[in-house]
Amino acid sequence: MSKELSDVIGRVLPAPEHHLNAEKLEQARKARRSFMGKALAMGAGAAASAAAATRAVAAEGEDAILKLPAHTTGLGQGVTTDGYGKPSKWEANLQRRESPGLTRVQQASVSFTPLQGLFGIITPNGLHFERHHQGWWDIDPSKHRLMINGLVKRERVFTMDDLMRLPSVSRIHFIECGANSAPEWGNVALPAVQYTHGMLSCCEYTGVLLSTLLEMCGYDKKKGKHVLAEGADGSSMTRTIDIERAMDDCIVAWAMNGEMLRPENGYPLRLVVPGIQGVSWVKYLRRLEVGDMKWAAKDEAIHYIDHMPDGTHRQYTGIQECKSVITTPSGSQTLLDKGFYNVTGLAWSGRGSIKRVDVSTDGGRNWRTARLEGPVLPKALTRFNIDWVWDGKPAILQSRAIDSTGYVQPKINQLRAVRGTRSIYHQNAIQSWKVAENGEVSNVQVY
Ligand SMILES: Nc1nc2c(c(=O)[nH]1)N[C@H]1C(S)=C(S)[C@@H](COP(=O)(O)O)O[C@H]1N2
Ligand SMILES: [Mo]
């Protein structure tokens, strides 16, 4: 980083409900006001006053670097062998949360990933979003079975041990609930990216390719056109997958991010359907049936359909189209001073890999191309970063992703022109975050 850049670097105050209690938030705001006050009193120009504010922070910090706190002089704690390792206590507010925009019936059925607090592309297992149609279970793997039946030469029932002996693959893919960002259809401005986009996660999955299992069972290559996947929970979750997709990149997975699946995410077995909405990623997978027609199960005939402007319904619209969102700065965060910011976010496409991400800081009038951080993988989240110097004036931050098919992420009004406003699913429009003069970031729509 250049000297100039280090002089003007800004600070982001994380979203209050995620990291800080109200008292700390007020302290930080007061501190900000007093820095800005000092800087303005010096009568300096914008950059100079930001630099002065930054030096005020640095000067405060020097005291801390000169002191020797107990952790530099004492004996630290011994190794942690009592149970599963945990994050730092200072990170305790980074959690999955219930959305303020959803009413719960008996118990909450969705928890959202705190995208604003994550780095890179992998979602830690303890922060993976959850969506349960009928609650989750911790199923005994020694009793769990997977049956493959229908249009196959050899119907089979597998134990977990049988499955885990087979040739396995490990691949990184995103999972996004089809209803992610749904409130934006009706311009319900949820306050933070955790709630607007947090039904989205990305993990490395390990399991046996569905194609390996179908070949083993001798599926009917002439008549077998579809595969039905069924879960072992009370939701009767059944979903149809086309045979081409089933034979392409679907995984019958037992692990995520190097360890066995978490119970919330389908332990001990789930289907991974890369690029397709979360509902097809059947958890607690217990049966796969090869058939010659689509099943039109309840979760594909009544739910997970798109209401079109002409009154018709679209069915089997599983693909998650190209989409992106800026995760910092994002709604409910506060920019503490003018100056340099690393604007960062995520982009993904159910049809392939991300080719380019453009970022605008003026509501879509001007665009600059962001840096894509590697690895850029198909049907996986891609991290992007771009430099920005905030001049302290109101700004609107947006990102626009383009995938390997050339598809460009639409504006909300472009999407509404085709899809109307009564949909729930597949809302992939450009997200806008407004930065106010006082540094507060909020969710707005730009047409
Ligand atoms: N058996 C079963 N599979 C399921 C569900 C469920 O309720 N039961 N929910 C589906 C939905 S709608 C989504 S978005 C994803 C959520 O996966 P996650 O809870 O691991 O995030 O699982 C899908 N698979
Ligand atoms: Mo979902």
Side-chain angles (χ1 to χ4, degrees):
M1 195 181 285
S2 71
K3 175 79 177 63
E4 271 163 316
L5 216 51
S6 66
D7 267 356
V8 299
I9 194 148
R11 295 193 304 142
V12 179
L13 185 65
E17 67 268 41
H18 312 300
H19 287 257
L20 294 174
N21 60 32
E23 194 189 330
K24 278 199 188 150
L25 176 69
E26 201 33 50
Q27 275 170 11
R29 285 211 170 114
K30 268 198 197 123
R32 172 180 185 272
R33 281 196 292 269
S34 79
F35 298 149
M36 296 313 280
K38 274 183 220 155
L40 292 174
M42 286 164 62
S49 64
T54 311
R55 274 193 292 277
V57 177
E60 271 195 342
E62 269 157 29
D63 197 21
I65 195 79
L66 292 174
K67 278 191 221 152
L68 288 183
H71 59 75
T72 60
T73 55
L75 176 63
Q77 302 183 52
V79 293
T80 45
T81 50
D82 54 338
Y84 196 87
K86 288 191 196 71
S88 161
K89 67 177 179 190
W90 306 106
E91 300 300 325
N93 282 326
L94 192 71
Q95 292 174 16
R96 297 183 278 209
R97 291 179 190 275
E98 277 180 58
S99 170
L102 290 176
T103 42
R104 45 150 110 174
V105 185
Q106 193 180 356
Q107 57 190 19
S109 67
V110 192
S111 71
F112 291 75
T113 291
L115 298 173
Q116 72 284 352
L118 300 184
F119 308 94
I121 61 171
I122 297 293
T123 311
N125 288 345
L127 297 174
H128 194 290
F129 83 95
E130 302 159 85
R131 170 72 178 105
H132 316 303
H133 289 240
Q134 193 80 353
W136 61 270
W137 297 91
D138 199 353
I139 293 174
D140 178 348
S142 71
K143 304 218 171 77
H144 190 70
R145 298 290 180 270
L146 173 69
M147 175 160 99
I148 301 191
N149 69 326
L151 299 175
V152 293
K153 283 203 195 81
R154 295 170 292 278
E155 297 196 331
R156 282 200 60 168
V157 176
F158 295 86
T159 64
M160 286 302 296
D161 288 338
D162 293 338
L163 292 169
M164 292 173 75
R165 287 177 63 184
L166 297 173
S168 67
V169 296
S170 294
R171 293 183 186 166
I172 297 173
H173 289 299
F174 77 83
I175 170 173
E176 182 182 22
C177 175
N180 201 25
S181 318
E184 295 287 328
W185 282 118
N187 198 3
V188 177
L190 291 172
V193 71
Q194 180 157 12
Y195 310 121
T196 58
H197 290 74
M199 285 197 280
L200 172 73
S201 296
C202 183
C203 297
E204 185 197 50
Y205 294 95
T206 299
V208 54
L209 283 173
L210 178 52
S211 60
T212 305
L213 291 175
L214 293 176
E215 293 283 11
M216 269 179 83
C217 297
Y219 79 99
D220 189 327
K221 290 188 179 152
K222 282 211 191 84
K223 287 196 223 121
K225 295 272 185 282
H226 303 280
V227 178
L228 184 80
E230 181 183 87
D233 55 333
S235 69
S236 306
M237 181 57 67
T238 44
R239 291 282 306 181
T240 301
I241 297 127
D242 297 347
I243 197 77
E244 293 77 20
R245 189 171 294 282
M247 291 302 292
D248 180 14
D249 55 2
C250 296
I251 308 169
V252 173
W254 50 81
M256 66 196 244
N257 293 335
E259 62 180 4
M260 290 297 288
L261 291 162
R262 293 287 172 93
E264 311 91 282
N265 308 112
Y267 181 89
L269 205 61
R270 96 172 300 169
L271 191 62
V272 168
V273 193
I276 298 294
Q277 61 184 342
V279 68
S280 290
W281 296 45
V282 174
K283 301 191 276 191
Y284 320 107
L285 183 69
R286 71 187 292 271
R287 195 168 69 88
L288 293 163
E289 180 178 341
V290 179
D292 56 0
M293 296 196 302
K294 293 185 195 248
W295 271 262
K298 73 168 168 30
D299 285 299
E300 42 199 27
I302 303 169
H303 307 295
Y304 299 92
I305 50 172
D306 299 325
H307 302 264
M308 300 299 281
D310 65 0
T312 59
H313 288 164
R314 279 198 325 192
Q315 266 187 313
Y316 298 108
T317 50
I319 290 190
Q320 295 300 104
E321 297 287 358
C322 182
K323 185 169 169 182
S324 69
V325 67
I326 293 171
T327 53
T328 293
S330 62
S332 300
Q333 295 181 329
T334 305
L335 305 190
L336 287 175
D337 35 50
K338 298 171 196 179
F340 175 86
Y341 288 90
N342 178 54
V343 175
T344 190
L346 295 163
W348 61 100
S349 167
R351 292 193 191 271
S353 55
I354 291 299
K355 195 167 76 183
R356 203 176 90 206
V357 177
D358 298 326
V359 168
S360 173
T361 56
D362 59 5
R365 282 183 197 88
N366 297 287
W367 296 90
R368 288 185 296 140
T369 298
R371 297 190 311 278
L372 301 185
E373 301 302 332
V376 178
L377 300 168
K379 306 178 188 178
L381 296 186
T382 297
R383 171 66 59 176
F384 66 86
N385 287 306
I386 191 167
D387 299 349
W388 179 46
V389 178
W390 184 43
D391 59 8
K393 299 206 183 88
I396 291 179
L397 306 183
Q398 299 179 321
S399 64
R400 175 179 70 190
I402 301 164
D403 71 12
S404 47
T405 70
Y407 175 99
V408 183
Q409 184 183 4
K411 295 197 220 174
I412 185 80
N413 55 335
Q414 291 174 321
L415 191 62
R416 285 201 182 112
V418 180
R419 300 272 311 279
T421 56
R422 300 196 308 124
S423 273
I424 298 171
Y425 306 104
H426 312 302
Q427 198 297 101
N428 69 319
I430 291 171
Q431 172 68 39
S432 307
W433 301 118
K434 184 180 170 190
V435 181
E437 231 158 347
N438 67 2
E440 287 173 7
V441 186
S442 60
N443 183 359
V444 295
Q445 283 193 352
V446 175
Y447 302 109

